[in-house]
Amino acid sequence: DYGLTKGITDKILDVIDHGAVNSASIFPNGYAFDYAVEEYKKRRNFRLSIHLNLAEGLPLSPGEKVHLLTDQEGKFCYTFLQLWQKYHLASSTTKELMRQQVRIELTTQIKKAKQALNLTSSIQVDSHIHYHMIPFVFDALLDVAKDLPISYIRIPNEPFFIAFKEEHWINNYFGPNIFKHCLLNFLARDYKKRLSRMNIASCDYFVGSLFTGNITVGVIQSALLKIKRIAPQGSLVEILLHPGGAEEQEKHYWKNQEYLGIGPGAFSYL
């Protein structure tokens, strides 16, 4: 969520400066995008991916070009499953329009980040709340990759692991997280094959969906122990964390969502 707000960005930079994190994903349409770019240019000591966003906020494209993805206020409004369902239930004409509008917005977001960061080589991307894993969005992203040099796309294929000693473990194994974990893994199998055919890299293993909202050191250790048992030597593991919490004075960005106070000055907008 690098660049989403200044408060979130500063907290991410703090853990980067202390050596706990070695990469971040920048919001092209974040409220603090320009600030995040300037801070990155001061350091350049961490890997930066483009955090494609179809989930919240305003699109970067003109409203009339992405109106099937937004509400009456012109803001992204659909959850992961709602956007997938809207596409699934649409007519063939509307489906093609939705794919076209997703391609337009993803292209606009990538080009903005590429220009601001002076990226002259290949690009690494992921997405907010894994929206790029929605099948028609993934198709659109691969179309974009034919014109833009995308070298890496995150594929959240997370091995199932046991962490019963961690607090709130029951919520993860008997709640929405287990459904998300299974769905993403199901989609990942085909996607990794398609990326391989296009010579686009992805992580070999991923950690961060099964315990969304409850990641601890113990959870990460349990996941890595499982991966160590099954992974070939030299495998790339990507661990997803959200160390940045928004400040109290930034909560107006999510005025229609409940302030939950998760962490110091933080709240949930997911």
Side-chain angles (χ1 to χ4, degrees), residues 158-183:
E158 182 178 43
F160 182 83
F161 60 93
I162 300 299
F164 289 159
K165 295 182 180 180
E166 300 303 311
E167 189 177 3
H168 306 302
W169 66 265
I170 195 169
N171 297 327
N172 297 281
Y173 293 116
F174 298 95
N177 280 353
I178 189 67
F179 170 75
K180 178 174 66 174
H181 171 85
C182 293
L183 177 61

Side-chain angles (χ1 to χ4, degrees), residues 54 69 80 82-88 94-95 97-103 106 131-143 191:
L54 301 174
L69 311 176
F80 184 106
Q82 285 172 345
L83 186 60
W84 191 352
Q85 182 184 48
K86 178 176 181 177
Y87 177 84
H88 181 71
T94 301
K95 285 179 178 178
L97 283 174
M98 289 183 70
R99 288 194 296 268
Q100 179 181 342
Q101 293 188 11
V102 168
R103 285 195 296 269
L106 297 186
Y131 271 48
H132 71 290
M133 296 294 287
I134 300 172
F136 85 95
V137 176
F138 190 79
D139 291 342
L141 179 58
L142 292 191
D143 284 343
Y191 292 178

Side-chain angles (χ1 to χ4, degrees), residues 119-142:
L119 298 177
T120 57
S121 57
S122 55
I123 301 161
Q124 303 180 61
V125 304
D126 48 58
S127 69
H128 193 38
I129 324 179
H130 307 300
Y131 271 48
H132 71 290
M133 296 294 287
I134 300 172
F136 85 95
V137 176
F138 190 79
D139 291 342
L141 179 58
L142 292 191

